[in-house]
Amino acid sequence: MRRAVCPGSFDPVTNGHLDVIGRASRLFDEVVVGVLVNQSKAGLFTVDERIAMLRESTGGYGNVRIESFQGLLVDFCRGIDAAVVVKGLRAVSDFDYELKMAQMNIGLAGVETLFMPTNPLYSYLSSSLVKEVAKWGGDVSPHVPDHVLAALRDRLAVDRAV
């Protein structure tokens, strides 16, 4: 079985993430979306909330599953018997960083990295940008699934009330 991992924090998942996940699902028998647990970084959503949003967002794909992990990505890949990491690239600046990570991953564990150019519709899109625009009341509805938009509005409304 050809299994790949699409890793990230997905705080929150965007249509750009979903584009890469969907395209990867057509190339591999199984795609595991690995949600990184980074205890040194406070996210807007908990890991469990991100997993739930991803499960709802990817429910139409029969070969995509969602798991969380912490520590080294290559250890997660070994643990689930995945030999490939799929990373979306938005710009040259992404490539510079991701190339170093890919080279480290191949050196550490023989895990290959497939760089997938982002659909130009999403080339500027990031979770950070979505959160920032939503925080100030901007319309992010074209950039996230409806259930993610609702979660953003709920979370940010609570944050504003505090």
Side-chain angles (χ1 to χ4, degrees):
M1 171 181 279
R2 295 174 311 147
R3 180 176 293 130
V5 172
C6 287
S9 59
F10 305 102
D11 186 36
V13 62
T14 69
N15 291 339
H17 292 130
L18 295 173
D19 176 63
V20 170
I21 293 166
R23 289 163 55 205
S25 76
R26 294 191 297 272
L27 299 173
F28 295 93
D29 298 319
E30 183 178 42
V31 173
V32 179
V33 177
V35 180
L36 176 63
V37 177
N38 186 346
Q39 294 172 339
S40 66
K41 189 175 175 185
L44 182 61
F45 295 101
T46 67
V47 171
D48 288 340
E49 289 170 327
R50 288 182 256 158
I51 289 171
M53 285 188 271
L54 277 158
R55 284 191 175 134
E56 187 170 344
S57 299
T58 61
Y61 298 110
N63 65 336
V64 173
R65 68 182 161 118
I66 316 301
E67 291 191 22
S68 65
F69 75 98
Q70 59 186 46
L72 293 176
L73 175 58
V74 292
D75 290 339
F76 177 65
C77 289
R78 273 191 227 150
I80 63 167
D81 195 29
V84 178
V85 171
V86 176
K87 296 291 292 193
L89 296 179
R90 295 171 293 197
V92 173
S93 57
D94 287 348
F95 179 75
D96 185 49
Y97 173 78
E98 294 296 346
L99 177 63
K100 293 172 189 167
M101 297 299 292
Q103 290 168 328
M104 180 63 80
N105 291 342
I106 193 86
L108 286 172
V111 174
E112 294 286 353
T113 300
L114 172 71
F115 294 127
M116 188 173 286
T118 300
N119 181 322
L121 294 172
Y122 310 118
S123 63
Y124 61 90
L125 193 55
S126 69
S127 294
S128 298
L129 185 58
V130 164
K131 288 185 289 194
E132 187 69 16
V133 170
K135 173 180 160 184
W136 296 106
D139 180 18
V140 296
S141 61
H143 310 300
V144 296
D146 290 342
H147 64 279
V148 174
L149 179 63
L152 275 166
R153 287 179 176 158
D154 288 348
R155 180 60 41 89
L156 294 172
V158 168
D159 288 349
R160 283 192 205 122
V162 175

